[in-house]
Amino acid sequence: KMYYIQYVLSMLEQLLQNRAIRLEKFLHDLIPSVISCMVCAQICTRPLEQDHWAVRRTAASVLAGLVRSHSLGTNQLQSRVIRMLHHALDKQNSGLVTSFGVLAGLCE
């Protein structure tokens, strides 16, 4: 499961680099999915053996690329993404992996 997530995130990174492909129409689907990869409690079944931290870092990089390439003054994309990350961090039961995902996203 985790390898598929990593593969899709890598594919999305490549799509972001291709200037001929327009992703604006799909941002409402892509951004929540990428944020989920960053902040979900469990990505893999064996977290001690599999590097779920790398998936979270990759998702943070993809999210930063989406925001950088599609944020305009009119759509307020950056502030909305920050608000979504703040909401994930503000939950009462947010754990270490969620905090790591949020901070990775904010640092990008």
Side-chain angles (χ1 to χ4, degrees), residues 35-50:
I35 288 176
S36 292
C37 291
M38 291 168 46
V39 302
C40 71
Q42 185 176 359
I43 292 177
C44 59
T45 55
R46 298 183 312 267
L48 296 176
E49 298 171 17
Q50 297 173 318

Side-chain angles (χ1 to χ4, degrees), residues 22-82:
R22 314 269 311 174
L23 297 174
E24 289 87 5
K25 294 180 182 178
F26 309 105
L27 289 177
H28 67 280
D29 290 323
L30 294 173
I31 289 176
S33 300
V34 172
I35 288 176
S36 292
C37 291
M38 291 168 46
V39 302
C40 71
Q42 185 176 359
I43 292 177
C44 59
T45 55
R46 298 183 312 267
L48 296 176
E49 298 171 17
Q50 297 173 318
D51 191 12
H52 63 96
W53 305 107
V55 173
R56 295 174 197 282
R57 285 190 300 269
T58 302
S61 174
V62 168
L63 180 67
L66 285 168
V67 170
R68 270 191 223 108
S69 61
H70 296 92
S71 188
L72 306 170
T74 56
N75 67 7
Q76 300 175 343
L77 182 61
Q78 184 176 11
S79 61
R80 292 188 326 192
V81 167
I82 290 172

